Structures are given as structure tokens and as C-alpha cells.
Amino acid sequence: MMAAIAAAKNGANVFILEKNERVGKKILSTGNGKCNLTNLDFSLDKYHSTDNRLLGDYFDRFNEKSTIAFFGECGLMLKNKSGYIYPSCEQASVVLDVLRHMLDVLGIKEYTEAGVKEVKKIDDRFVIKTVDREYRADRLIIACGSPAGVSNKDKNMPGISGYDIAKSFGHKIIDVLPSLVQVECEENFFNSIAGIRADCCITLFDENKAIARENGELQLTNYGISGIPVFQLSGLISRELNSGKKLYAVLDFMEELDEEAFAEFIKGRIHSFRGETVENYFLGMVNKKLCSLIIKLGGLKPSDIVSDELAEPVFMASLMMKQFVVTIKSTKGIDSAQVCTGGVSLCEVDRKLMSLKEDGLYFCGEILDVDGKCGGYNLQWAWTSGYLAGTYASLE
Ligand SMILES: Cc1cc2nc3c(=O)[nH]c(=O)nc-3n(C[C@H](O)[C@H](O)[C@H](O)COP(=O)(O)OP(=O)(O)OC[C@H]3O[C@@H](n4cnc5c(N)ncnc54)[C@H](O)[C@@H]3O)c2cc1C
């Protein structure tokens, strides 16, 4: 829609082919139905892509301020929640309505239930076959998104994937994997701590090397870990597991104390709880269910008495509050994910988002190998790339 609007504003005659019964359905589920459409805290490290230098070049030309200005011009009032930008009415459906209104104002035709089945270039024009019709166009923008979060019903609508269209023009597709998704762990104790939500610092390790770190509210579930910090790490986890790496994560529930201060604190606490039960020693430090598990994993019993003899095992068990190790098994699948990492490589498009394989063919949005963190960054990429692809496609 953004690409269509940008192209039509430049005077192009534009139409949209959409395989669903209506355009823009994914927008409706964004931001828990409120649509977090961009974020004022922009930096390139919020993104993963094939080429972050080229990515920066796109954002230099259309960024979060441009998004705010664009929606302002469309008449959408916005709300700033600590940098996270939402429509003031907090209704994702209104964002879609406003975009559709713009399509209407600009005379852009929407063909729905028009899943593309084949695209060919014949005599310098694109011939696009849908289920029941054939369309011709001088320029073609592929904005087919990713399979993340698509319902089974929509998945079964006729039409091939955007990746297959790209492949038919000689593009290579970087492995499409789930991102912004929950993570399953190997350990069999998760049932006992499911439901806990706790502020936590998560460090991801590949062998003995820390490769990423995130803070925020962790959610422990019966299969593993979830919550924003886990989502933020999940794209990297998908890619690393896909390349055969073995990963584990260290959960720090005591991030406000550095290691030295924590060790001092623990020693002092062991001293002051001498003669009391291990259960009472742990009580009040972290979530109760986690205390019980740590006592068990530490080879202790709740009724054990803190004593000189037990000082060492109690100390070692206590360290788990700062270094709780979990082994990563997999991420949840693409159906559970908000976005996908992978897609059409940025190495195969130019500054105008035109294919380096086929003149007049453009890409925008999630079909490209660009994925952002949670917080409005993926829609920002959709707006940025849509605006640029639409603008350049109409200028060429
Ligand atoms: C639950 C959920 C919550 C999210 N929340 C946020 C959020 O708050 N903020 C944020 O920034 N991002 C969020 N995202 C991510 C964001 O929605 C996507 O990154 C964004 O929608 C991608 O835009 P797109 O135009 O590239 O693809 P899409 O929005 O997926 O649109 C692609 C369109 O192409 C159509 N299509 C596919 N194949 C064909 C074909 N062969 N023929 C015709 N049409 C076809 C599809 O039906 C679809 O309508 C969320 C995603 C999910 C699933």
C-alpha cells in the first residue's frame, strides 16, 4: 500500500493484486491490535539484514520522522508512548482504513482474491497471472511479506509465495526463519516454573562465547522462555541454530548487582541465615517457584539447615539466581512468529530497491532479508522500503 501510494503520488497508474479477500490484513494484528507503527529510538542495530550499510542508506531517505509526517498528511493522529508510536485511537484497523482511504483518493485499484500464480517478462512488460486473470504492467513491485503469523485460512488462498516469484527471476532466497518468537529449551524442569515473569538479563552463548544480550521482562513457560528480551534474541537464535550452532542462555535475575557485589551479598546472607532453613534463606530473593527449583537443582532440601558445612553448596546454589543456565532447543515455528528473518538478499537489489536480476522489478517490506526488533521497527521498514520502491518505480 505504501509503495502504491508513493507511486501514484508520482503520477503512475497503479493497481494492487492481493491474494486475500482484503488488503493489509496483517496490520490488523500488529501491536496487539493497536499497531506500533514506528519508534523514535531509531538505530541500525535494531535491524538485521544482509547489508546494514545499504539499509542505513534507505533509512537516510525515509525514516521514522518521514513516517510520522506521512501519516500526519493522511490525517492519522499519533500517540508517543516512550518513543513507541501508535495511532492516537490505538486501533490498528484505523491505520489500515487510513491507508485504504489514500488508495481510494489516488484512484489505486485493489484486486482482491487475486493471488499471483506466475510472473513473466514479455516484450519489456510484466505479465502477471492470477487465479483467473492476466495483468500487464511496466513495473512490478513485489511486496508479498513473509509467512510469519499468517492464518491457515490465508495460507491456503491460491497464489505462490513472493519468494517463488523472486526465484523465477533468478533471485536466491536467504533461509526464511522465524523471528520475534518464543524459544523452546531442553531442560525438563520448565513445568515447575511456568508462569513466572521476572526482570532478567539474558546472555546468549555459542559454545563459550557470549554473542548477544537483552534485558527486560522474561516469561518462563512450560516449553522454555518467552517475553520481549527473548523475542529480541530469537532471530539470531534461529539463524545460529540453522547454521548448526549449539546455544545456551544464561539468565541473570539479579542484574542490579554485579558479580562481585552479588557474591558479597550472598556470603553476608548465608552468615545471617545460619541456623535457619534453606527455604527461609532463599525466601524473598527471587520468585518462590524459582527458589524451590534452585534448591532442588543445587542438591539441597528446603528443610536443610544453613550451617558451616552447607555454606558452600548454598553459595553455589545461590549463584543460579545470577547465572541460571538453559539449553536452547529451537524457536517456536513461523506460525507463532511476528516476522521472518531471511528472504531476498539486499545484495541483489540496488539503492532504488530494484532487482539486480531484472529491470523494472522492485521489492519492498518483509520479503527482503531485513528484520527488525520488536517495537515498530518492522513496520518502519515496510514504510521505508515501500515508499522508496514506489517512488523509484514510478520515476524510472
Ligand atoms: C502478530 C503480529 C504483530 C506484529 N506487530 C507489529 C508491530 O506492532 N509493529 C511492527 O513494526 N511490526 C509488527 N509486526 C510485523 C509487521 O506486521 C510486518 O513486518 C509487516 O506487515 C510487513 O509488511 P509487508 O507489506 O512486507 O507484508 P504483509 O503485511 O505480510 O503484506 C503482504 C501481502 O501480500 C499478500 N500476498 C502474498 N503472496 C501473494 C501473492 N502470491 N499474490 C497476491 N498477494 C500476495 C499477502 O496476502 C499480504 O496481504 C507484527 C506481525 C505480526 C504477525
Side-chain angles (χ1 to χ4, degrees):
M1 283 180 283
M2 178 56 116
I5 291 166
K9 278 190 173 173
N10 268 346
N13 180 9
V14 188
F15 61 92
I16 295 178
L17 299 177
E18 166 57 60
K19 76 177 180 132
N20 292 339
E21 73 287 3
R22 57 182 300 194
V23 296
K25 269 177 104 173
K26 204 176 266 187
I27 291 177
L28 300 175
S29 41
T30 57
N32 284 325
K34 295 181 180 176
C35 189
N36 175 200
L37 55 84
T38 189
N39 198 307
L40 298 183
D41 179 20
F42 174 84
S43 61
L44 273 182
D45 63 9
K46 300 282 193 284
Y47 290 92
H48 163 267
S49 79
T50 351
D51 181 348
N52 265 27
R53 226 175 40 171
L54 183 55
L55 186 65
D57 180 55
Y58 298 131
F59 285 122
D60 284 345
R61 284 171 285 155
F62 193 99
N63 57 24
E64 69 285 0
K65 292 180 198 73
S66 325
T67 298
I68 291 169
F70 169 82
F71 280 107
E73 282 162 26
C74 294
L76 183 70
M77 294 180 73
L78 299 173
K79 176 182 270 189
N80 174 354
K81 289 184 162 184
S82 315
Y84 295 67
I85 305 297
Y86 291 85
S88 294
C89 59
E90 299 198 2
Q91 284 180 295
S93 62
V94 170
V95 177
L96 179 54
D97 290 346
V98 161
L99 288 167
R100 290 198 61 207
H101 174 66
M102 288 304 289
L103 299 180
D104 196 35
V105 167
L106 291 162
I108 297 164
K109 290 186 278 299
E110 292 174 26
Y111 298 105
T112 52
E113 296 184 42
V116 173
K117 286 172 66 183
E118 189 188 62
V119 182
K120 284 212 164 107
K121 185 105 176 260
I122 300 172
D123 298 336
D124 267 359
R125 298 198 86 198
F126 291 97
V127 178
I128 306 141
K129 284 192 182 147
T130 63
V131 196
D132 54 0
R133 272 190 66 180
E134 201 174 275
Y135 299 80
R136 280 164 199 260
D138 297 324
R139 306 276 180 268
L140 179 66
I141 302 173
I142 303 186
C144 292
S146 83
V150 174
S151 70
N152 281 335
K153 177 179 163 267
D154 290 347
K155 244 185 251 164
N156 291 328
M157 295 295 276
I160 59 173
S161 77
Y163 306 121
D164 285 338
I165 303 175
K167 275 196 226 161
S168 71
F169 285 98
H171 282 278
K172 273 201 313 275
I173 304 299
I174 299 193
D175 287 350
V176 175
L177 306 166
S179 184
L180 305 191
V181 70
Q182 307 86 339
V183 170
E184 297 187 33
C185 298
E186 299 276 4
E187 287 77 10
N188 55 14
F189 52 63
F190 275 93
N191 260 336
S192 69
I193 48 173
I196 295 178
R197 285 168 180 255
D199 286 336
C200 186
C201 173
I202 310 175
T203 310
L204 187 65
F205 282 84
D206 166 13
E207 306 289 340
N208 285 325
K209 198 167 137 239
I211 54 170
R213 179 166 293 144
E214 286 289 339
N215 299 66
E217 191 187 62
L218 171 78
Q219 292 175 30
L220 294 162
T221 71
N222 53 10
Y223 55 77
I225 51 178
S226 183
I228 299 292
V230 175
F231 274 39
Q232 308 294 41
L233 292 169
S234 59
L236 176 63
I237 292 176
S238 280
R239 291 188 297 274
E240 293 283 308
L241 291 178
N242 190 49
S243 64
K245 300 274 173 57
K246 298 243 179 299
L247 302 177
Y248 66 93
V250 175
L251 314 180
D252 179 356
F253 296 98
M254 289 279 171
E255 50 177 327
E256 64 283 2
L257 296 176
D258 66 25
E259 273 173 32
E260 213 177 302
F262 179 72
E264 279 313 303
F265 163 69
I266 288 301
K267 280 183 202 153
R269 191 161 167 116
I270 291 173
H271 185 74
S272 54
F273 276 78
R274 203 163 289 215
E276 295 222 37
T277 61
V278 163
E279 186 177 24
N280 280 337
Y281 161 83
F282 275 101
L283 186 68
M285 286 198 277
V286 288
N287 183 290
K288 259 193 205 176
K289 285 200 229 172
L290 190 60
C291 290
S292 303
L293 178 62
I294 286 176
I295 292 171
K296 197 167 153 198
L297 294 176
L300 299 162
K301 287 199 216 68
S303 56
D304 284 344
I305 301 297
V306 180
S307 61
D308 281 348
E309 254 163 58
L310 273 193
E312 181 65 13
V314 170
F315 183 82
M316 296 312 286
S318 305
L319 289 184
M320 280 188 249
M321 290 185 286
K322 194 147 183 71
Q323 295 168 7
F324 193 88
V325 180
V326 295
T327 318
I328 309 287
K329 183 157 113 194
S330 62
T331 63
K332 287 269 185 190
I334 283 179
D335 285 352
S336 309
Q338 289 194 3
V339 293
C340 283
T341 177
V344 175
S345 166
L346 285 191
C347 300
E348 295 185 348
V349 293
D350 66 11
R351 285 193 75 230
K352 300 171 181 172
L353 286 158
M354 189 171 83
S355 162
L356 296 175
K357 307 276 178 191
E358 186 63 61
D359 262 15
L361 181 70
Y362 294 77
F363 294 97
C364 65
E366 223 187 290
I367 188 170
L368 286 155
D369 177 33
V370 176
D371 54 286
K373 291 196 167 174
C374 225
Y377 300 103
N378 288 292
L379 281 172
Q380 179 57 54
W381 169 240
W383 314 134
T384 294
S385 55
Y387 176 83
L388 294 177
T391 302
Y392 290 114
S394 55
L395 290 179
E396 296 288 305

